[in-house]
């Protein structure tokens, strides 16, 4: 057991290093606003169910969406999950379109029993991503052509310690204590290609965030009849002021013919400006129906008060978000060892997200459908989990950009009985 634990911890640290040094993990012009593109923090199981998670539970997966679900872990087993995410995006406006793609580490999760009534977990996942590069050319009378370029990179990571507690046989509560950390860099440049009287100007705004963030959950399981149960869940995250630091740098620069920038002078350098970033309150509810080792189906709703978002006492004109997720998993015959196909878990889900963005009189919505498979590996208690999600976000109306994306997740879940005392005769 010790060797397995050391191996998992080594893999954890190796992948942690890869995450910590990654800079740009997405390509979305809408990540310019708020905290960027907020992640659902879900594994391949939840991802394949269109991010369903509030009212479901599993002994084989670490379900971050509702920490009360951790009590589903077996009393003598250890769960380890990891996965990678790839995304292919088409950015489309009325005038043109562009394709981009990226791959990154998606999640690292551990779950294990602490006592008969307490289960715990730890993990590292992205919390939000910033990644964009947008050019906006215009003509100004008396100056000529002006090209405004907006770019961003970085994001926030989440290292969490989760805990689930059994209050009664059917009632569980839990919480995640998370440490959020990372840097978001947003850059705005003005380039004057037609004028020798105006110097090009660039503003770099670095925001570094690091603080503790809590979210809570509750689940109640209601047996309906043999092997059939209903699970209801609630989640809540209070509004949290996160300690942050802003570093601002304003420079003039020359642009060489090869496109390389050559700084001329610094107009403003303001470092170590301390303040707060307010992450607004979120509440959600979910319900699922499950037949043991056969199928599960459920639906979630989430609402978040993004109108209250502020960074350094400045709001970002966001609106409240509302999201609906529905998904189902089907397992033909878990005990049919003569047919591999019948032991595969088949997953499907749909998603509707009324995002926190309302730009140029248009509210931006997101629609997605997902599919997935849980592939058991022979001879071990490990599943290879594959998921794909196809969706759209935004619109081309009012000179906005529509994102059409195809996401792939490849993950694994290791379920091992580590806490059983061996008997020798």
């Amino acid at each position: 057991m010790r060797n397995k634990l050391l191996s998992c911890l080594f893999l954890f640290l190796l992948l942690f290093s890869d995450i910590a040094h990654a800079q740009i993990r997405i390509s979305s012009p809408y990540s310019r606003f708020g905290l960027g593109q907020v992640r659902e923090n879900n594994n391949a199981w939840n991802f394949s169910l269109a991010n369903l998670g509030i009212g479901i539970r599993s002994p084989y997966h670490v379900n971050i969406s509702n920490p009360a679900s951790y009590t589903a872990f077996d009393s003598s087993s250890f769960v380890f999950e990891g996965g990678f995410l790839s995304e292919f995006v088409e950015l489309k406006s009325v005038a043109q379109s562009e394709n981009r793609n990226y791959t990154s580490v998606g999640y690292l999760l551990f779950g294990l029993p602490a006592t008969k009534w307490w289960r715990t977990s730890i993990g590292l996942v992205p919390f939000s991503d910033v990644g964009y590069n947008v050019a906006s050319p215009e003509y100004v009378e008396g100056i000529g052509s002006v090209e405004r370029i907006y770019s961003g990179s970085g994001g926030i990571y989440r290292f969490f310690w989760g805990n689930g507690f059994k209050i009664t046989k059917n009632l569980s509560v839990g919480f995640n204590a998370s440490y959020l950390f990372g840097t978001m860099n947003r850059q705005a440049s003005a380039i004057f290609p037609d004028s020798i009287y105006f110097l090009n100007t660039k503003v770099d705004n670095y925001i570094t965030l690091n603080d503790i963030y809590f979210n809570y959950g509750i689940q109640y399981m209601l047996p309906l009849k043999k092997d059939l149960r209903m699970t209801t869940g609630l989640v809540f995250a209070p509004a949290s002021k996160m300690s942050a630091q802003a570093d601002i740098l304003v420079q003039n620069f020359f642009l060489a013919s090869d496109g390389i920038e050559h700084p001329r002078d610094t107009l403003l350098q303001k470092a170590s400006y301390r303040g707060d970033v307010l992450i607004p309150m979120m509440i959600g509810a979910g319900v699922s129906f499950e037949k043991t080792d056969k199928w599960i189906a459920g639906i979630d709703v989430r609402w978040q008060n993004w109108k209250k978002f502020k960074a350094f006492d400045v709001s970002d004109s966001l609106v409240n978000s509302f999201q609906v997720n529905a998904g189902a998993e089907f397992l033909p015959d878990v005990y049919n060892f003569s047919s591999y196909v019948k032991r595969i878990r088949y997953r499907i889900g749909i998603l509707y997200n009324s995002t926190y963005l309302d730009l140029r009189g248009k509210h931006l919505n997101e629609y997605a459908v997902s599919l997935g498979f849980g592939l058991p590996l022979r001879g071990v208690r490990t599943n290879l989990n594959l998921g794909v999600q196809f969706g759209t976000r935004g619109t081309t109306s009012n000179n906005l950009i529509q994102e059409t994306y195809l996401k792939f997740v490849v993950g694994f879940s290791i379920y091992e009985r580590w806490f059983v005392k061996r008997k020798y005769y």
Side-chain angles (χ1 to χ4, degrees):
M1 184 180 76
R2 182 180 178 183
N3 290 335
K4 291 182 178 179
L5 180 60
L6 290 174
S7 298
C8 287
L9 288 175
F10 175 76
L11 178 61
F12 178 85
L13 292 173
L14 180 65
L15 294 179
F16 176 89
S17 175
D18 180 77
I19 289 180
H21 288 88
Q23 293 297 316
I24 299 178
R25 302 184 301 276
I26 65 167
S27 180
S28 171
Y30 298 123
S31 65
R32 178 183 172 189
F33 304 94
L35 291 173
Q37 184 173 307
V38 179
R39 293 285 197 99
E40 293 295 336
N41 301 321
N42 288 324
N43 54 33
W45 179 55
N46 300 98
F47 176 86
S48 300
L49 300 173
N51 304 331
L52 184 73
I54 297 176
I56 60 175
R57 48 197 286 118
S58 171
Y60 311 110
H61 302 284
V62 181
N63 178 20
I64 313 172
S65 298
N66 191 336
S69 69
Y70 302 150
T71 58
F73 297 155
D74 190 273
S75 61
S76 59
S77 298
F78 176 90
V79 179
F80 175 52
E81 296 190 89
F84 294 85
L85 171 68
S86 293
E87 182 172 0
F88 301 85
V89 186
E90 180 189 41
L91 304 175
K92 184 179 180 181
S93 66
V94 173
Q96 61 181 358
S97 64
E98 182 177 343
N99 296 316
R100 299 179 183 178
N101 63 81
Y102 72 94
T103 299
S104 67
V105 176
Y107 57 93
L108 297 164
L109 308 169
F110 295 84
L112 66 158
T115 68
K116 290 182 178 180
W117 47 269
W118 172 25
R119 304 291 188 266
T120 190
S121 66
I122 61 171
L124 179 67
V125 293
F127 185 81
S128 70
D129 291 326
V130 175
Y132 60 92
N133 193 352
V134 179
S136 177
E138 61 179 293
Y139 182 84
V140 179
E141 190 70 31
I143 296 178
S145 297
V146 179
E147 186 171 13
R148 303 186 187 278
I149 300 175
Y150 305 94
S151 61
S153 62
I156 305 301
Y157 302 95
R158 177 184 183 186
F159 179 79
F160 75 92
W161 174 42
N163 297 273
F165 307 94
K166 286 185 179 181
I167 305 302
T168 67
K169 180 180 178 181
N170 296 324
L171 178 65
S172 298
V173 298
F175 72 90
N176 288 320
S178 304
Y179 177 65
L180 303 186
F181 65 98
T183 299
M184 299 173 288
N185 175 30
R186 291 184 169 97
Q187 183 183 98
S189 301
I191 299 175
F192 305 91
D194 296 339
S195 176
I196 61 174
Y197 302 104
F198 294 92
L199 288 173
N200 305 319
T201 304
K202 178 173 64 176
V203 180
D204 283 287
N205 187 5
Y206 298 89
I207 294 180
T208 301
L209 186 147
N210 47 76
D211 212 332
I212 305 299
Y213 176 76
F214 288 90
N215 66 293
Y216 307 89
I218 183 171
Q219 282 188 340
Y220 182 76
M221 295 170 289
L222 178 64
L224 300 178
K225 58 181 182 179
K226 184 180 180 181
D227 296 332
L228 183 65
R229 74 181 183 192
M230 179 179 73
T231 301
T232 57
L234 293 172
V235 293
F236 174 72
S240 302
K241 282 189 175 182
M242 314 299 293
S243 177
Q245 173 181 311
D247 297 283
I248 301 173
L249 178 63
V250 183
Q251 292 179 302
N252 286 332
F253 66 93
F254 295 108
L255 191 64
S257 58
D258 56 4
I260 297 177
E261 297 178 2
H262 298 278
R264 183 175 184 267
D265 50 41
T266 299
L267 302 180
L268 173 67
Q269 185 170 3
K270 191 173 185 179
S272 300
Y273 175 68
R274 304 295 302 183
D276 297 314
V277 173
L278 177 65
I279 300 178
M281 179 266 289
M282 183 277 295
I283 189 169
V287 61
S288 71
F289 296 87
E290 178 181 4
K291 187 171 183 180
T292 305
D293 290 331
K294 289 299 293 184
W295 56 264
I296 184 172
I299 185 169
D300 290 348
V301 293
R302 293 180 179 87
W303 179 87
Q304 193 157 7
N305 190 16
W306 283 103
K307 282 186 177 180
K308 298 293 185 180
F309 173 81
K310 285 186 177 182
F312 298 88
D313 294 322
V314 178
S315 60
D316 202 3
S317 301
L318 305 181
V319 298
N320 296 334
S321 64
F322 177 76
Q323 184 170 318
V324 180
N325 314 80
E329 178 185 78
F330 175 65
L331 176 60
D333 189 352
V334 67
Y335 300 110
N336 191 335
F337 295 99
S338 63
S339 175
Y340 181 80
V341 173
K342 289 186 177 181
R343 291 189 295 114
I344 295 175
R345 297 177 183 267
Y346 301 89
R347 300 157 183 158
I348 188 171
I350 56 174
L351 174 154
Y352 165 73
N353 182 18
S354 177
T355 74
Y356 59 49
L357 295 175
D358 195 310
L359 306 173
R360 298 175 184 171
K362 287 287 185 180
H363 190 90
L364 272 61
N365 294 318
E366 179 182 7
Y367 307 88
V369 60
S370 61
L371 296 171
F373 305 93
L375 307 176
L377 302 184
R378 298 181 185 276
V380 292
R381 293 171 177 256
T382 300
N383 275 1
L384 177 64
N385 297 294
L386 307 177
V388 58
Q389 191 173 99
F390 174 78
T392 63
R393 182 190 302 112
T395 176
T396 57
S397 300
N398 293 12
N399 202 30
L400 292 171
I401 295 174
Q402 183 181 61
E403 300 176 2
T404 301
Y405 61 81
L406 186 65
K407 297 180 181 180
F408 295 93
V409 168
V410 178
F412 58 88
S413 56
I414 300 174
Y415 175 81
E416 288 288 346
R417 301 182 68 85
W418 281 17
F419 303 99
V420 177
K421 291 184 178 180
R422 305 295 183 185
K423 292 184 179 181
Y424 300 93
Y425 299 94

